[in-house]
Every structure is written in structure tokens, then in C-alpha cells.
Amino acid sequence: MPDKSRDGVILVDHPLIRHKLTLMRRNDTPSNLFRRLLREIAGLLTYEVLRDVKLETVTIETPLETMEAERLAGPKLCFVSILRAGNGLLDGMLDMVPSARVGTIGLYRDEATLQPVQYYLKLPEGMAGRLTIVVDPMLATGGSAAAAITRIKEAGAKDIRFACLLAAPEGIKTLRDAHPDVPIYTAAIDRQLNEKGYILPGLGDAGDRIYGTR
Ligand code: PRP
Ligand code: URA
């Protein structure tokens, strides 16, 4: 079972994740290490996000005999990355489930209003029949995640989970209020937002740290 689960928020705080997250938070961690750690944590998060997916039995031949073995059954999986920073999580999730379909939604926060502005959307066909995992490392005000999930629901998705690295209490409330059917998987819940909407203590701007743009 996940380590902690309350009101639709699942805290995935395995010691390995906590250790790697500490390294990511450090101001002196360079982009190449930051990216690698994010990818590794994404793999570990995927383990919990998909803990209850269904298996089916198939008959296979081992080198020694025939056996009934298990493999993932439907529904087909879709990861939806919220650009840019979502791609840092996406890579680690695809390491775990290479056959998943991938959707992309481009959103940035207007720096003055903190409101999400959409600039791109591409989703696979058949969203209604897919288990959809929306990924973004940061849940700050919650505006980006809530807007992304609204668009994904408009495309037909019904079974949606949100996975992030850090969540602020403000973002959790916004997302739970907007989409109470969507569970939130997070590696940590931080203290609060600052006046510019950054998570405290946080790790800074995830996109900039992944791509070295500042
Ligand atoms: C960051 C982050 C989230 C958003 C979270 O993206 O990756 O998408 O902020 O903030 P919110 O919960 O207050 O909406 P940003 O807007 O900096 O864009 P980027 O990923 O392109 O850098
Ligand atoms: N987006 C980030 O990248 N970092 C924050 O702390 C808040 C939003």
C-alpha cells in the first residue's frame, strides 16, 4: 500500500524518494543531476500510481515448462505531460511503461496573474477508455493542473490520476475542489506558497532547473 493516503492525496515518501528529493532541492545541484534524479523518482512514483492496475493471465513457455503468468491488462494507459517540466517526470514513467500512449498539454503560468495560459494540446485517440496519468513536478496554486485536467476531461477521459513531486497545500485544495474524482500522488507536501506563487521550501522553478534556462 502507499505510505500515506488521506482525502484523495497519496503521499509516496519512500526513503529512496526522500533522499533523492533532498538532492533535488539543493541549490547547488546542477541540471544534469536534477534531471537524472527527477527521472529516477518518476519511476518510483509510477510504482505507487499504478499499484492497483489489473493483471491478466497468459500461458507462456519458460525454457523448462509451460506456466500461467501475469501481464498488464487493460485499460490502456496514457501519460499526459504538462509542458515543460512535466516532461522531466514523463521520461521516468515511460521507463517503467514504455508502451503507454503520451499526451501533451502546453501551459505556462502568467507571471502577473498566476493564471495558466494554454498554448498546445495533443492527446491520443480514445481517451474515454484509458487510465490517464497527468504529470507535472509542481502543484503550486493548482491552476495549471486543474486547467489541464479540465481539457483532458473535455477530450473524454474519465479515469484520471495526477502525479507530482512537490505539492503546496493551496494547490492540493484547488485541485481537489475542481476535480474531486482525481487522486493526487505526490512525493512531498511542502509548507506554503510565497507571494510569487513559488512553493516553500520547494526546489525553485522546476522547468528552469531541468533545462538550465536560468
Ligand atoms: C510550473 C510547473 C507547473 C506550474 C505549477 O510551470 O511546471 O506547470 O508551474 O504552478 P501552478 O500550480 O501555480 O499552476 P511553469 O508555468 O513555470 O512553466 P514551465 O514548465 O514551462 O517552466
Ligand atoms: N512552478 C515551479 O516550477 N516552482 C514553484 O515553486 C511553483 C511553480
Side-chain angles (χ1 to χ4, degrees):
M1 285 298 292
D3 298 330
K4 287 168 196 162
S5 172
R6 191 163 167 248
D7 300 332
V9 181
I10 299 98
L11 185 61
V12 187
D13 60 354
H14 188 283
L16 276 177
I17 293 181
R18 290 155 83 153
H19 175 81
K20 291 175 192 295
L21 187 51
T22 299
L23 295 174
M24 290 187 73
R25 288 182 190 274
R26 287 182 61 137
N27 195 29
D28 58 357
T29 296
S31 281
N32 58 357
L33 178 57
F34 189 92
R35 270 199 303 274
R36 201 184 83 203
L37 290 162
L38 182 58
R39 188 172 184 142
E40 289 172 359
I41 292 179
L44 297 166
L45 271 176
T46 309
Y47 182 83
E48 285 302 345
V49 173
L50 300 182
R51 177 173 280 279
D52 62 348
V53 291
K54 301 257 178 307
L55 294 167
E56 63 188 8
T57 304
V58 286
T59 306
I60 62 163
E61 302 290 334
T62 78
L64 298 174
E65 60 181 27
T66 302
M67 73 171 284
E68 300 292 300
E70 292 170 312
R71 70 176 179 195
L72 289 175
K76 296 249 180 285
L77 267 176
C78 177
F79 296 132
V80 179
S81 168
I82 303 179
L83 296 178
R84 301 174 285 176
N87 278 2
L89 271 181
L90 174 70
D91 290 341
M93 295 197 157
L94 284 173
D95 288 343
M96 294 296 126
V97 193
S99 62
R101 298 298 170 95
V102 175
T104 307
I105 180 162
L107 288 175
Y108 68 87
R109 285 198 315 179
D110 181 285
E111 286 188 6
T113 64
L114 299 183
Q115 292 306 304
V117 181
Q118 184 182 323
Y119 58 90
Y120 185 75
L121 179 67
K122 186 75 181 174
L123 298 173
E125 296 290 313
M127 291 298 287
R130 299 183 186 281
L131 169 59
T132 300
I133 317 297
V134 182
V135 303
D136 188 330
M138 310 303 274
L139 183 64
T141 65
S144 301
I149 290 169
T150 298
R151 302 293 180 286
I152 292 162
K153 284 183 175 175
E154 286 166 1
K158 292 178 176 51
D159 190 2
I160 303 174
R161 302 173 185 190
F162 179 77
C164 62
L165 189 65
L166 290 189
E170 296 90 330
I172 290 174
K173 178 165 184 352
T174 298
L175 187 51
R176 292 296 299 157
D177 286 351
H179 299 290
D181 55 314
V182 176
I184 300 169
Y185 291 78
T186 184
I189 300 172
D190 274 12
R191 192 178 70 247
Q192 65 182 101
L193 298 180
N194 71 9
E195 69 288 350
K196 291 185 172 164
Y198 277 87
I199 298 175
L200 298 175
L203 50 72
D205 186 303
D208 283 340
R209 296 204 61 187
I210 293 168
Y211 297 111
T213 41
R214 191 165 293 168

